[in-house]
Amino acid sequence: NRLNHISEQQGNFLIYNSLLSEYAVLGFEYGYAMANPATLVIWVAQFGDFCNGAQTIIDQFIAGAETKWGNQNGLVLLLPHGYEGQGPEHSSARLERFLQLSAQNNIQVANLTTPAQIYHALRHQVKRNFRKPLVIMSPKSLLRHPRATSSLEDLALGQFQEVINDPFISNAQQVEKIVFVSGKLYYELLEEREKNKDLTTALVRLEQISPFPAWKIKEIFSLYPNAKKLVWTQEEPKNMGSYQFVFFRFMELLNQMNLKLSFSYVGRSERSSPATGSIYRHRAEQQQIVTDVFRV
């Protein structure tokens, strides 16, 4: 492997293709991470919803092992997740299931938007003095997106950000609406805002969904003193994704800070299936979400 010869002091870099049994392979990877806590072990699904076949390992071990048996584990699940028109079997890594399993700081669930964010999240897995499973929702389209980039400075000198504030707002006093979004939808909203020349809407990325970074979000609220509206937007249907996890947490923060922001949800309506099978309907739904965010 060419990546094993970058420097004489480096560790081993190993890539294996595994048999098509998510239950067996994820169980093996969990055990390997348990036996080798200094090793960064990553299970990459071809599509995120393939974790369905490993749900027993996720429920019984990854989510509950530390509480049940005191076992810490640093396994990483890299799950492609994003509404990109590939149908109901290739759109959702069932983000809502991982959030439902999240409590007592047992697992980290993130939907990251830049290479630097992924790098620093993975670096944390090995550098810190404890171990937690990490679940990363990773849209495939961001691998090719021209704006999903990071500078060498971001990689070398930056750090992981649970929340990324809007870097393009020049006058925070003008902001009337704070939009929280997670994942690739951010870039679609950014493009729409630039097209509309909207200076009153701030687009804030919730990169780490669980544990919920309430302290960071409080800072965001304080930056926009004239905001009147709070919007949570997502690609997933209303009964899926992050909405039902973040809603009550946002309400608690608004009450704690005595803020009178109106709250709105923008996304797909409740569904029994994660996504439509029609690329044409998908595009129409996606555009409607982007449009509605700026109409609320």
Coordinates of all heavy atoms in Angstrom, one line a residue, residues 177 179 189 192 231 233 264-268 284-296:
K177 N -33.5 36.2 10.6 CA -33.8 34.7 10.6 C -32.5 33.9 10.8 O -31.6 34.1 10.1 CB -34.5 34.4 9.3 CG -35.0 32.9 9.3 CD -35.4 32.5 7.9 CE -36.3 33.5 7.2 NZ -36.7 33.0 5.8
V179 N -31.2 30.2 10.5 CA -31.5 28.9 9.9 C -30.5 27.9 10.3 O -29.3 28.0 10.0 CB -31.6 28.9 8.4 CG1 -31.9 27.5 7.8 CG2 -32.7 29.9 8.0
L189 N -28.6 25.7 0.2 CA -29.2 26.9 0.8 C -28.2 28.1 0.5 O -28.7 29.2 0.2 CB -29.4 26.7 2.3 CG -30.4 25.7 2.7 CD1 -30.5 25.6 4.2 CD2 -31.8 26.0 2.1
E192 N -28.7 29.3 -3.0 CA -30.0 30.0 -3.1 C -29.9 31.4 -2.5 O -30.4 32.4 -3.0 CB -31.1 29.2 -2.5 CG -32.5 29.8 -2.6 CD -33.1 29.7 -4.0 OE1 -32.5 29.0 -4.8 OE2 -34.2 30.3 -4.2
V231 N -35.3 28.7 12.4 CA -35.8 27.7 11.4 C -34.9 26.5 11.5 O -33.6 26.6 11.6 CB -35.8 28.2 10.0 CG1 -36.1 27.1 9.0 CG2 -36.7 29.4 9.8
T233 N -34.2 23.2 9.3 CA -34.5 22.6 7.9 C -33.6 21.4 7.7 O -32.5 21.3 8.2 CB -34.2 23.7 6.8 OG1 -34.6 23.1 5.6 CG2 -32.7 24.1 6.8
S264 N -39.9 27.4 13.2 CA -40.5 26.8 12.0 C -39.7 25.6 11.5 O -38.4 25.6 11.7 CB -40.6 27.8 10.8 OG -41.4 28.9 11.2
Y265 N -40.4 24.6 11.0 CA -39.7 23.4 10.4 C -39.9 23.5 8.9 O -41.0 23.8 8.4 CB -40.4 22.1 10.9 CG -40.1 20.9 10.1 CD1 -38.9 20.2 10.2 CD2 -40.9 20.5 9.1 CE1 -38.6 19.1 9.4 CE2 -40.7 19.4 8.3 CZ -39.5 18.7 8.5 OH -39.2 17.6 7.7
V266 N -38.8 23.3 8.2 CA -38.9 23.2 6.7 C -38.2 21.9 6.3 O -37.0 21.7 6.6 CB -38.2 24.4 6.1 CG1 -38.2 24.3 4.5 CG2 -38.8 25.7 6.5
G267 N -38.9 21.1 5.6 CA -38.4 19.8 5.2 C -39.5 19.0 4.6 O -40.7 19.5 4.4
R268 N -39.2 17.8 4.3 CA -40.3 16.9 3.7 C -41.3 16.5 4.8 O -41.0 16.5 6.0 CB -39.6 15.6 3.2 CG -38.9 15.8 1.9 CD -38.1 14.6 1.4 NE -37.6 14.7 0.1 CZ -36.5 15.4 -0.3 NH1 -35.8 16.0 0.7 NH2 -36.1 15.4 -1.5
A284 N -37.9 18.1 -7.5 CA -38.9 19.1 -7.2 C -39.0 19.3 -5.6 O -39.2 20.4 -5.1 CB -40.2 18.6 -7.8
E285 N -39.0 18.1 -4.9 CA -39.1 18.2 -3.4 C -37.9 19.0 -2.9 O -38.0 19.8 -2.0 CB -39.1 16.8 -2.8 CG -40.4 16.1 -3.1 CD -40.3 14.6 -2.6 OE1 -39.2 14.2 -2.1 OE2 -41.4 13.9 -2.6
Q286 N -36.7 18.7 -3.4 CA -35.5 19.4 -2.9 C -35.5 20.9 -3.1 O -35.2 21.7 -2.2 CB -34.3 18.7 -3.6 CG -33.0 19.0 -2.8 CD -32.8 18.1 -1.6 OE1 -33.6 17.2 -1.3 NE2 -31.8 18.3 -0.8
Q287 N -36.0 21.3 -4.3 CA -36.0 22.7 -4.6 C -37.1 23.4 -3.8 O -36.9 24.5 -3.4 CB -36.4 22.9 -6.1 CG -36.4 24.3 -6.5 CD -35.1 25.1 -6.2 OE1 -34.0 24.6 -6.6 NE2 -35.2 26.2 -5.6
Q288 N -38.2 22.7 -3.5 CA -39.2 23.2 -2.6 C -38.7 23.6 -1.2 O -39.0 24.6 -0.6 CB -40.4 22.3 -2.6 CG -41.7 22.9 -1.9 CD -42.2 24.0 -2.8 OE1 -42.5 23.9 -3.9 NE2 -42.4 25.2 -2.2
I289 N -37.9 22.6 -0.7 CA -37.3 22.9 0.6 C -36.4 24.1 0.6 O -36.5 25.0 1.5 CB -36.5 21.6 1.1 CG1 -37.4 20.4 1.3 CG2 -35.7 21.9 2.3 CD1 -36.7 19.1 1.6
V290 N -35.6 24.2 -0.4 CA -34.6 25.3 -0.5 C -35.4 26.6 -0.6 O -35.1 27.6 0.0 CB -33.7 25.1 -1.7 CG1 -32.8 26.4 -1.9 CG2 -32.8 23.9 -1.5
T291 N -36.4 26.6 -1.4 CA -37.3 27.8 -1.6 C -38.0 28.2 -0.4 O -38.0 29.4 0.0 CB -38.3 27.6 -2.8 OG1 -37.6 27.3 -4.0 CG2 -39.1 28.8 -3.0
D292 N -38.6 27.2 0.3 CA -39.4 27.5 1.5 C -38.6 28.1 2.7 O -39.1 28.9 3.5 CB -40.1 26.3 2.0 CG -41.3 25.9 1.0 OD1 -41.6 26.7 0.2 OD2 -41.8 24.7 1.2
V293 N -37.3 27.7 2.7 CA -36.5 28.2 3.8 C -36.4 29.8 3.8 O -36.5 30.4 4.8 CB -35.0 27.7 3.7 CG1 -34.1 28.5 4.6 CG2 -35.0 26.2 4.2
F294 N -36.4 30.3 2.6 CA -36.3 31.8 2.5 C -37.7 32.5 2.4 O -37.8 33.7 2.3 CB -35.4 32.1 1.3 CG -34.0 31.7 1.4 CD1 -33.6 30.4 0.9 CD2 -33.1 32.4 2.1 CE1 -32.3 30.0 1.0 CE2 -31.8 32.0 2.3 CZ -31.4 30.8 1.7
R295 N -38.7 31.7 2.4 CA -40.1 32.2 2.4 C -40.7 32.3 3.8 O -41.7 32.9 4.0 CB -41.0 31.4 1.4 CG -40.7 31.7 0.0 CD -41.6 30.8 -0.9 NE -41.4 31.1 -2.3 CZ -42.0 30.4 -3.3 NH1 -42.9 29.4 -3.0 NH2 -41.8 30.7 -4.5
V296 N -40.2 31.5 4.7 CA -40.8 31.4 6.0 C -40.7 32.8 6.7 O -39.7 33.4 6.7 CB -40.0 30.4 6.9 CG1 -40.5 30.5 8.3 CG2 -40.2 29.0 6.4

